[in-house]
Amino acid sequence: MSSNLSATDSLAALARVIESRLPHNGGNPDASYVALLLHKGPDAFLKKIGEEATEVVMAAKDVDYGGDKTKIVNEVADLWFHCMIALAHYGLSPADVLAELERRVGTSGLEEKALRKALAREGESK
């Protein structure tokens, strides 16, 4: 991707590529890793998300003991990529995640967590 693209543009461009690999868009599992994961279904890409999340944790722990910080970036990139596959599968996009993050700007993380817990309890009582 071109270096003159903004981060949002880069995410949107990657999302379009991933969306083009969806089975209903003609994604070929013999020619594309993304199409293969999507063809295998949620268990395949959700498992990859779990693996990549674990690798982010391991890379960060390695940095605590003198490891290379670029490994964190590489692993987070892998994690985001696989999360983007899940978003596409469920008809969502990076723009949806960015909108949620923007919604949270200026809200205390502690307040946000408490609100989500209260809403969950409210939903359970109905």
Side-chain angles (χ1 to χ4, degrees), residues 40-117:
K40 288 181 177 182
D43 284 349
F45 57 77
L46 295 175
K47 179 180 177 186
K48 285 300 296 178
I49 290 171
E51 291 171 4
E52 298 302 341
T54 300
E55 290 175 11
V56 169
V57 171
M58 292 171 22
K61 294 300 283 181
D62 285 348
V63 169
D64 289 340
Y65 296 100
D68 182 1
K69 289 182 182 182
T70 61
K71 289 184 180 181
I72 297 173
V73 172
N74 293 336
E75 296 303 341
V76 169
D78 290 346
L79 175 60
W80 285 12
F81 176 76
H82 288 89
C83 288
M84 288 177 68
I85 294 170
L87 288 171
H89 173 81
Y90 294 110
L92 299 166
S93 73
D96 297 310
V97 176
L98 293 172
E100 175 60 14
L101 290 171
E102 288 173 18
R103 185 191 68 77
R104 295 180 186 188
V105 170
T107 302
S108 159
L110 296 174
E111 290 172 10
E112 177 69 24
K113 186 174 180 179
L115 177 61
R116 279 187 272 142
K117 282 184 179 181

Side-chain angles (χ1 to χ4, degrees), residues 3-69:
S3 61
N4 63 353
L5 291 177
S6 73
T8 303
D9 292 338
S10 295
L11 287 172
L14 180 55
R16 285 191 297 276
V17 170
I18 291 169
E19 288 167 17
S20 76
R21 305 300 199 264
L22 288 164
H24 66 268
N25 289 335
N28 179 354
D30 294 326
S32 164
Y33 171 73
V34 171
L36 178 63
L37 282 179
L38 290 164
H39 176 77
K40 288 181 177 182
D43 284 349
F45 57 77
L46 295 175
K47 179 180 177 186
K48 285 300 296 178
I49 290 171
E51 291 171 4
E52 298 302 341
T54 300
E55 290 175 11
V56 169
V57 171
M58 292 171 22
K61 294 300 283 181
D62 285 348
V63 169
D64 289 340
Y65 296 100
D68 182 1
K69 289 182 182 182

